[in-house]
Amino acid sequence: MLKELVARCKLGYGTIPFPAKEPILPDRYRGCPVVDTARCPGQCRVCAEVCPTSAVKVSADGLHLDLGRCLFCGECETACPVNAIRFSREYRMAARRRQDMVLPGTGTGTARSLDARMKRLLGRALRLRQVSAGGCNACEADTNVLTTVVFDLGRFGIQFVASPRHADGILVTGPVTENMKPALIKTYEAVPAPKIVIAVGACAIAGGPYAGHKEVHDGVEGILPVDLYIPGCPPHPIVILDGLLRLLGRIGK
Amino acid sequence: MESKRFLRAYNSCPVGLRDIPLVSTAEFRETVVRSVADGARLAALFGRPHGPNTLRLLAVLARSREGALFIVETEVSDCYPSLTVDCPQAHWFEREMAEQWGVRPLGHPWLKPIRFHYSYRPGYDAWARSATEAIQPSVTDFFQVAGEEVHDVAVGPVHAGIIEPGHFRFQCHGENVYHLEISLGYQHRGVERAMLGGPTSRSAHYMETLAGDTSVGHMTAYCQAIEALQGCIVPARAYALRAVALEIERLANHTGDLGALAGDVGYLPTAAHCGRLRGDFLNLTALLCGNRFGRGLVRPGGVVFDLDADQAKLLLEKIGRIYNNVTTAVDLLWKTPSVVGRFEKTGRVLRQTCEDLGLVGPAARACGLERDVRYEFPSGIYALSHIPIALGETGDVFARAYVRWLEIQRSVAFIQKQMEMLPGGPIRAATGELPPERLVVSLTEGWRGEICHVAVTDVEGRFAHYKVVDPSFHNWMGLAMALRDQQISDFPLCNKSFNLSYCGHDL
């Protein structure tokens, strides 16, 4: 027992003070893109051409970036000759409605909390069943990391559980492969109502790099009703945590 | 090895497609079986369509004694004599070919789908299913054990924790497991097929998400293939930075695995500390490129982000600090007799089994086999700067855990050395078009083991075939063997000691 205590003293206290304090993100972190339509002359379309997932579109009504499809690869930022798209360090990116994820817009980052009834039911103790439906294990890993001492999800009353019967909702990653669709639906059905669905990562929101493949269903959309979208490839754990806390009304209004 | 039967090749050295010897099916079988018996390893075996009704089967054999690869092809239509009976390494490759191309390996002892999808050759199906018949995952014949009190335990595809989906069937007698059958395919996203006609703007993203925890590993293998085909000279600084990122990827995953192994035997101090320290390593990758998994760092021609002197200093400082903490956390394991007692003799894979199945990576090294691409088939900076192979002996959970710990120590020393003598100059070279009708085998030692990519170009220099062999493809059968004659409650521990990829297997 003594050696464990010595190790504990050496290694110290690891939990971060988020959300009380702003998180420390890497210098090169690519957060929410900023789309400056005023700068875009609207003719070159080079950003749309380099985008691997057609997240960037230039049409008659200007330049748009769909955060739900974005892989945060930064190709558009590098290609744009006039700096109309640049990646900020903003980690507040979760949205409640799919249409709120199209930039420029006002919907992302400030996801509203659940309604009063749901917040009363789930706000103090949220139990989630995670379903990996074709995810590459990056979204899964950065969701899993929330349960470590660093983020300590338990302190917010949020917990990942083994059985859907014990859950209040599911957190889905991956583009929903044809082979996982039945298991995803069965898992959802096994969760007692009222229940919520959270889509984490570009794949779960719109198929990610696999959008359009006949082996996948381009995300959860159209299969289950989604209550929270968390963009990224994969989203930084802080982005996921921020989204979950906003959903429960722990951050923001 | 007889030269006329094989084309000799090397890691990331392209060959002409027409130079590959085309032999009769009987000769192909005999050649592959004989060379494997003689110490070669089947790195890849796949089918590629050639004409309307014919299929070329291509084998890549790796011979570490010579650091060389040997390639041979044969032509088949709808069936051929199976290799698996005489060469167990071919087991899953043959099942894969049967599923993809509807070609039947006659006499295969265990012919079943592995990813559960329709055949890519219309009109050909190894199980004579019609095109309208629904294919449901894991709906197939499972291995049966009969007898009084014998029962099956079926788990998944959705497991208890936050992990990828797979279906496991334990054939048990009480608590004792006779055999574990593993049925995957739930993560199948059609990557190999989507690569055809490429490279496209998505190719790099497919590679980085083949197995998300091996983004740098798979991306490095892909880039090596592209660069070799083009004859592109990658700057030394880029090679060094790639290797640093690859070793950090190994550090993060090995640290996480040691923590998870501790958790699986109920020893929470190491589990809690290592969970955090794994994240610290991921943050080092983010220091290199902004993404914790190394997305967007490695690209054909080199790397996208450079390190200035201050960042290099910061990286060195941080890695030293994290390593000290990992040492403190992991030492607890080896000094706790109840942990060591649970690790030892659990999930043992015999050295002979390991050789027969062609296991790779830490799972093979834990059985005492010197299998490490960085040493046997070095490329990039590994050709100039060596990293000692970490070996175990006993082939049990303990050995697989201890090999990881040894590798952590060696990877840290390697990174420190690379950072201290980081070559100057540019970080990326220009890349161009791919040449027509060439084939290249690209090997990289990812943290799970050998990553093998084989790229074939058509007459226009586009991908006519792209084969990915994740180390998990070789090793899943190893996990099944490790479970034989174990308690079913040992499964989480055995599983974590391999920590194989589902999506890397399912593609």
Side-chain angles (χ1 to χ4, degrees):
Chain A
M1 191 61 204
L2 198 61
K3 65 181 190 300
E4 283 86 354
L5 290 173
V6 171
R8 170 66 181 78
C9 292
K10 266 196 202 168
L11 294 170
Y13 176 80
T15 308
I16 56 165
F18 184 82
K21 282 188 187 164
E22 282 291 294
I24 300 166
L25 293 161
D27 290 346
R28 287 171 173 172
Y29 172 70
R30 283 186 296 277
C32 191
V34 178
V35 178
D36 189 348
T37 40
R39 280 173 179 265
C40 177
Q43 281 127 23
C44 78
R45 291 165 201 269
V46 62
C47 52
E49 280 160 27
V50 297
C51 180
T53 55
S54 309
V56 185
K57 285 210 167 77
V58 186
S59 58
D61 56 339
L63 169 67
H64 293 285
L65 191 153
D66 181 353
L67 208 53
R69 301 176 79 94
C70 182
L71 301 181
F72 294 76
C73 64
E75 293 285 347
C76 52
E77 182 183 39
T78 312
C80 179
V82 294
N83 266 338
I85 303 177
R86 63 179 179 82
F87 281 80
S88 74
R89 295 173 51 72
E90 179 58 67
Y91 63 89
R92 286 167 285 230
M93 279 188 273
R96 292 292 309 280
R97 296 183 307 173
R98 186 68 183 87
Q99 65 265 36
D100 286 345
M101 306 192 82
V102 179
L103 302 172
T106 52
T108 60
T110 52
R112 285 172 300 107
S113 69
L114 292 165
D115 63 37
R117 176 175 161 267
M118 287 294 274
K119 216 164 93 178
R120 199 178 66 243
L121 282 168
L122 310 179
R124 282 157 61 89
L126 177 68
R127 300 283 180 269
L128 295 170
R129 171 61 254 186
Q130 200 274 331
V131 182
S132 168
C136 74
N137 206 23
C139 286
E140 289 80 352
D142 266 353
T143 302
N144 218 346
V145 87
L146 294 177
T147 61
T148 64
V149 291
V150 182
F151 301 94
D152 192 16
L153 201 60
R155 71 190 150 131
F156 305 107
I158 308 171
Q159 192 189 352
F160 288 100
V161 292
S163 167
R165 302 275 185 213
H166 301 159
D168 304 306
I170 58 173
L171 187 150
V172 187
T173 53
V176 187
T177 54
E178 173 65 20
N179 284 350
M180 261 312 276
K181 188 182 171 190
L184 172 68
I185 293 171
K186 279 185 185 175
T187 306
Y188 176 74
E189 284 171 351
V191 176
K195 50 193 162 185
I196 58 169
V197 176
I198 299 166
V200 169
C203 282
I205 297 171
Y210 302 98
H213 284 208
K214 59 186 253 187
E215 293 87 353
V216 309
H217 290 274
D218 294 357
V220 191
E221 209 73 66
I223 299 175
L224 301 174
V226 180
D227 296 280
L228 182 69
Y229 299 89
I230 302 175
C233 184
H236 191 281
I238 282 288
V239 179
I240 307 175
L241 184 55
D242 173 75
L244 294 176
L245 295 181
R246 276 174 201 282
L247 185 72
L248 301 182
R250 300 291 186 87
I251 308 181
K253 292 274 171 190
Chain B
M1 258 192 225
E2 297 151 64
S3 58
K4 61 178 193 289
R5 281 194 180 174
F6 284 110
L7 179 65
R8 197 185 175 93
Y10 296 93
N11 183 7
S12 304
C13 294
V15 296
L17 207 49
R18 289 166 195 275
D19 298 332
I20 300 171
L22 185 67
V23 300
S24 74
T25 308
E27 205 179 348
F28 177 83
R29 186 183 192 284
E30 195 209 324
T31 314
V32 172
V33 169
R34 195 134 52 102
S35 1
V36 169
D38 194 33
R41 204 169 42 75
L42 201 51
L45 172 65
F46 58 91
R48 56 187 191 92
H50 195 267
N53 295 313
T54 53
L55 195 68
R56 289 261 171 107
L57 305 191
L58 189 146
V60 178
L61 289 141
R63 206 169 172 78
S64 56
R65 251 182 275 161
E66 295 153 73
L69 303 164
F70 295 87
I71 306 171
V72 63
E73 268 195 319
T74 189
E75 210 160 70
V76 297
S77 174
D78 60 348
C79 64
Y80 68 97
S82 166
L83 281 71
T84 302
V85 181
D86 297 314
C87 173
Q89 293 183 20
H91 177 185
W92 281 30
F93 285 117
E94 291 201 309
R95 280 171 62 181
E96 181 187 49
M97 290 194 296
E99 182 166 46
Q100 291 182 337
W101 306 108
V103 59
R104 268 179 309 126
L106 300 174
H108 191 288
W110 215 353
L111 191 63
K112 287 190 293 192
I114 62 167
R115 299 192 181 103
F116 300 92
H117 61 71
Y118 291 100
S119 159
Y120 297 160
R121 266 205 305 178
Y124 288 87
D125 187 283
W127 297 275
R129 298 168 299 191
S130 73
T132 51
E133 198 177 316
I135 297 179
Q136 290 179 308
S138 293
V139 176
T140 180
D141 292 332
F142 282 86
F143 204 58
Q144 295 281 319
V145 178
E148 213 172 314
E149 292 182 28
V150 164
H151 62 278
D152 271 15
V153 177
V155 185
V158 180
H159 307 294
I162 305 180
I163 52 168
E164 301 168 78
H167 181 67
F168 298 88
R169 279 217 193 174
F170 302 85
Q171 284 86 34
C172 300
H173 182 244
E175 286 289 299
N176 194 41
V177 179
Y178 283 133
H179 182 66
L180 158 65
E181 188 162 357
I182 299 165
S183 178
L184 303 171
Y186 294 93
Q187 306 281 82
H188 179 56
R189 295 146 290 159
V191 181
E192 283 183 357
R193 276 217 292 181
M195 288 296 284
L196 301 186
T200 67
S201 62
R202 281 199 196 180
S203 302
H205 300 281
Y206 291 136
M207 295 297 116
E208 287 181 330
T209 55
L210 274 176
D213 49 26
T214 319
S215 292
V216 179
H218 273 293
M219 193 58 195
T220 302
Y222 169 73
C223 289
Q224 272 181 192
I226 296 269
E227 289 151 3
L229 284 169
Q230 291 173 345
C232 163
I233 309 288
V234 179
R237 191 174 175 86
Y239 273 148
L241 289 172
R242 272 185 195 177
V244 167
L246 189 67
E247 295 307 321
I248 296 176
E249 189 168 84
R250 185 182 322 277
L251 289 171
N253 286 297
H254 280 4
T255 304
D257 283 349
L258 288 173
L261 283 166
D264 278 338
V265 298
Y267 185 68
L268 298 185
T270 304
H273 296 309
C274 282
R276 168 163 81 90
L277 295 165
R278 174 180 171 277
D280 288 351
F281 281 127
L282 292 178
N283 290 339
L284 281 188
T285 307
L287 189 150
L288 291 175
C289 68
N291 184 290
R292 283 156 57 91
F293 295 87
R295 306 266 161 97
L297 172 64
V298 182
R299 283 293 178 273
V303 291
V304 177
F305 297 93
D306 202 355
L307 275 186
D308 63 26
D310 287 344
Q311 287 161 329
K313 203 175 139 219
L314 184 67
L315 183 89
L316 264 178
E317 200 181 287
K318 283 195 171 187
I319 204 155
R321 206 163 49 224
I322 303 168
Y323 175 59
N324 283 341
N325 290 343
V326 172
T327 307
T328 305
V330 173
D331 262 352
L332 293 175
L333 283 183
W334 320 127
K335 288 180 184 161
T336 306
S338 57
V339 170
V340 176
R342 279 287 281 119
F343 282 8
E344 278 178 345
K345 297 193 176 84
T346 304
R348 206 163 164 217
V349 179
L350 297 177
R351 189 188 162 109
Q352 188 60 51
T353 310
C354 181
E355 284 190 48
D356 290 346
L357 295 174
L359 304 192
V360 295
R365 295 194 281 275
C367 297
L369 293 180
E370 290 191 339
R371 279 186 187 160
D372 192 324
V373 172
R374 295 170 294 175
Y375 174 79
E376 298 174 295
F377 306 97
S379 57
I381 210 78
Y382 296 104
L384 307 170
S385 189
H386 299 294
I387 195 158
I389 302 185
L391 283 183
E393 270 179 33
T394 44
D396 51 7
V397 170
F398 177 82
R400 286 188 285 275
Y402 206 76
V403 161
R404 282 183 165 81
W405 170 230
L406 291 174
E407 290 191 16
I408 288 173
Q409 300 171 36
R410 285 161 196 185
S411 289
V412 167
F414 178 83
I415 292 169
Q416 286 168 336
K417 193 166 114 193
Q418 292 309 315
M419 294 305 296
E420 275 156 19
M421 48 180 235
L422 202 59
I427 54 162
R428 199 170 174 187
T431 52
E433 301 285 302
L434 298 182
E437 299 201 294
R438 306 281 282 172
L439 177 144
V440 66
V441 182
S442 169
L443 301 175
T444 299
E445 185 73 15
W447 66 273
R448 280 194 185 93
E450 178 186 278
I451 295 169
C452 175
H453 287 205
V454 185
V456 180
T457 58
D458 63 13
V459 285
E460 282 159 7
R462 315 296 295 180
F463 289 136
H465 203 86
Y466 200 92
K467 180 85 208 107
V468 175
V469 189
D470 187 86
S472 308
F473 197 84
H474 298 285
N475 283 7
W476 274 109
M477 198 60 196
L479 172 62
M481 299 309 283
L483 248 284
R484 287 197 173 178
D485 217 16
Q486 297 292 304
Q487 295 271 296
I488 192 168
S489 51
D490 282 333
F491 174 68
L493 185 58
C494 292
N495 187 28
K496 193 46 90 175
S497 74
F498 280 85
N499 193 7
L500 300 174
S501 175
Y502 299 70
C503 53
H505 170 277
D506 292 348
L507 300 175

